[in-house]
Structures are given as structure tokens and as C-alpha cells.
Amino acid sequence: MVRYDRAMSVSRATPRHRVVVLALDGIIPFELGIPQRIFGRARSAAGDPVYSVVTCGLEGPGPVRTDADYAILVEHGPEALGTADTVIVPSSYTLGPVYEEGRLSPALAAALAHVRPGTRMVSICVGSYVLAAAGLLDGRPATTHWADAEHFQRTYPAVLVDPDVLFIDDGDILTSAGVAAGIDLCLHIVRRDHGTAVANDVARRTVVPPHRDGGQAQYIERPVPEPQSATTTAARAWALARLHEPIQLRDMAEQESMSVRTFTRRFREETGISPGQWLTRQRVERARHLLESSSLSIDQVATDAGFGTAQSMRQHVQAALGVTPTTYRRTFRTTG
């Protein structure tokens, strides 16, 4: 799933587009390796490299700590950012004031000052915090790892956060969801710059799909909130035990000896959503569980989850997760 709002053509006046990756202390090695693996393998029809990829550190050539039990040695300092056509910021577990206070550290601000106007800026996972702290995402759509989406929105309220997609292409600013979504985004950039054939060749060599169905929504865990002073808990427990049956709003209200109007108001106060929305969400979660853990047919899953028909379940699952029940089962089905 991708949002594309602004068109931006990448100049091909020079044969090799320069990608500079900023390695911050605490960087995740897997994400650091994605740009080199994807852009470094991209070839023209004649077999020539179409990108050059270099990695730079925040304070100069030298070691950069990772989140693993080893460091990496980078050969370029932050001045390399001034040579970039595209800057990529992978995630780090030690973003400090960027994550905690919504501001750049002096060293990071000085490094980013090297970036030339018009440079394409890209983040992988929580690298989006760096772009946001630099003010590059104000008023623009962006995404990040789903587990950090709420914190990201609180820290940077001017950003239009979409937690459900794998990546967002907003022209000269591109952001990806967590971890492996960086592969999806980098392949998208190759496809945008040089076409489907080049991107598909890179995907084939990397042994990954050239395009993944759906978005990040299918990976998000959504536990049911249970407020300490809830007054509709009994009704929710009653409904959860009967998801496979038709459930009317008045039936739930009767479990708490309330009028429908009072029950609806209190239910929304406690859960933040209406009873109908809550029921649909629980049925989607029940369907997810059955699709992952059982061999029931799609029709039977739809019945057991309370959707009635496979078509109804397909519509609700597609709306909530961005993929069909069949695709979800193929991705997450437990085997063995």
C-alpha cells in the first residue's frame, strides 16, 4: 500500500545517482544494509550500475555503534551528505533528544546542514523521527514502525501520520514502516527511477517479492482495552463469547441493565469507539486467529467469526488489514 501525492522526476543527467546513508549510533545492522543491497544491485539494461552508495557517520570517519555486539567502521564523515542526490536515514535505538524531546542534537543538526536543497530524503522505520525533528515532515504524510506510531504523532503533531501503510512516497520525502518495509520502499524508489524491469531484477536477486500486498495494518497487534472502572465489561465479555451469533445493540445493553442510549454513551467513553465498531474489530481479530491457526475453510471462518458470509468477511478484513483473508492466511498461517 502506498500513498503518492507529489511527482518528482529524478535527474538522469549523470549516469549514477548518489545515495548517501547516514549511520547513527545504535543503528540496526539489518536496516543499514538495505540501501546497499537494493541500490547497489540495480543495473541498467546494459548491465551498468545506476546508483553509487556510500555510508557516512555523524561525526566523521570511524566506528559507529550498532544495537548488536559489534560496531561498524564508516569511511566518510557528515560532509558526504552534501554530495547526495538521495539521503537515507535508517533507524537507531539511541536517537536521544530526537525521540524523547522532538529536537535534533547539535551534532545531528550540523550534519544535516550539509544536505543540499532539493535532495531526496528517505527514512527507514524510526529514522522518520530524524526527518520530523528537522522539520521536513510538517504538514506532510509520513509513516513509521507501527509500534511507535502513536508516540511519533504525539512528539510531532504537525506530521500527518499513517500507521497502516508499508511506505509513503510524498515526492521528495519518502518514509517507510518498520524494518523490512525499508526493502519495499527502496524497491519502490528503484522502480520509480528506472522502471519495473530494473526493480524486478533487484528483487529477484535479493529473493524478495517485488511488491507486497497490503500494508502495515496486517502486522499490528490490537489488544482490546479494558478500563479499570469499566461499566460495560460484562456486555463485552458476553459478546465475545457469542461472536458467531447475530448480536444486537439492545442485547448488549440488556447485559448491563441500561437503555440503548446510555449504554452507547458509556461504551464509547470507555473504549473510544461505538459498540458496532468494537464488534467488527473483535470479529476481524477472531478471523485473524482462525486464519492463522486453523484449517477451517474461508466460509467456516466467516461463520465462526460472526460475519455470516465469506463476502462480508472479505470486505471487513480487506478494510481493516489491507489484504484479503486468503492472502492473510497465506502470509501468516502456522504450519507444522
Side-chain angles (χ1 to χ4, degrees):
M1 184 179 293
V2 55
R3 290 180 53 181
Y4 187 91
D5 297 316
R6 295 183 178 90
M8 174 187 173
S9 60
V10 176
S11 173
R12 292 176 175 78
T14 57
R16 299 181 70 180
H17 182 98
R18 188 171 179 85
V19 176
V20 178
V21 184
L22 178 59
L24 302 172
D25 275 344
I27 197 162
I28 301 171
F30 176 84
E31 295 181 24
L32 177 61
I34 290 173
Q36 175 60 47
R37 179 68 208 189
I38 302 301
F39 296 110
R41 296 298 186 275
R43 298 289 187 271
S44 68
D48 300 319
V50 292
Y51 299 96
S52 63
V53 185
V54 299
T55 303
C56 72
L58 189 60
E59 299 179 348
V64 175
R65 292 182 297 108
T66 73
D67 77 325
D69 62 343
Y70 56 85
I72 61 169
L73 184 64
V74 298
E75 298 182 357
H76 302 276
E79 64 278 359
L81 294 170
T83 70
D85 298 303
T86 294
V87 169
I88 298 182
V89 184
S91 65
S92 163
Y93 280 139
T94 56
L95 289 174
V98 170
Y99 188 89
E100 297 163 4
E101 303 170 29
R103 64 176 180 84
L104 296 173
S105 67
L108 186 51
L112 292 177
H114 290 285
V115 178
R116 297 172 299 175
T119 300
R120 182 166 58 186
M121 302 295 291
V122 178
S123 67
I124 299 175
C125 194
V126 295
S128 54
Y129 280 75
V130 175
L131 302 189
L136 299 176
L137 299 181
D138 288 355
R140 302 183 71 160
T143 193
T144 192
H145 194 295
W146 62 264
D148 291 283
E150 290 186 7
H151 178 268
F152 185 51
Q153 185 68 89
R154 289 196 306 272
T155 306
Y156 299 101
V159 180
L160 308 178
V161 180
D162 186 343
D164 293 337
V165 296
L166 289 175
F167 60 85
I168 289 177
D169 180 338
D170 197 37
D172 57 340
I173 304 284
L174 300 93
T175 54
S176 86
V179 197
I183 298 175
D184 299 279
L185 176 54
C186 289
L187 283 172
H188 168 76
I189 293 172
V190 173
R191 187 180 304 110
R192 192 178 105 174
D193 290 354
H194 298 283
T196 299
V198 176
N200 286 355
D201 179 67
V202 174
R204 190 175 298 112
R205 293 175 183 274
T206 312
V207 197
V208 296
H211 175 76
R212 274 199 288 173
D213 292 329
Q216 196 175 196
Q218 60 190 302
Y219 301 95
I220 301 174
E221 294 179 340
R222 293 187 174 95
V224 181
E226 293 291 349
Q228 299 258 338
S229 57
T231 59
T232 61
T233 303
R236 279 177 276 159
W238 177 87
L240 285 173
R242 295 165 174 79
L243 284 179
H244 60 288
E245 301 175 0
I247 297 176
Q248 302 297 324
L249 179 57
R250 64 175 179 274
D251 298 328
M252 295 182 67
E254 286 175 0
Q255 306 309 308
E256 304 289 358
S257 300
M258 296 180 188
S259 68
V260 169
R261 181 177 179 180
T262 299
F263 176 81
T264 301
R265 175 174 56 80
R266 291 191 181 177
F267 194 100
R268 187 179 289 276
E269 288 173 354
E270 292 164 15
T271 67
I273 55 179
S274 71
Q277 291 170 322
W278 180 86
L279 274 172
T280 297
R281 181 175 296 181
Q282 303 318 305
R283 285 176 166 145
V284 168
E285 292 304 309
R286 175 68 62 82
R288 285 175 65 163
H289 171 72
L290 293 174
L291 290 168
E292 291 177 17
S293 62
S294 79
S295 59
L296 295 174
S297 68
I298 295 296
D299 286 336
Q300 189 60 56
V301 170
T303 298
D304 288 1
F307 288 111
T309 67
Q311 180 180 3
S312 175
M313 181 176 73
R314 187 178 301 110
Q315 291 173 345
H316 286 292
V317 169
Q318 181 89 44
L321 307 182
V323 293
T324 65
T326 300
T327 298
Y328 185 86
R329 167 171 273 176
R330 186 167 61 244
T331 302
F332 290 101
R333 172 73 182 276
T334 301
T335 59

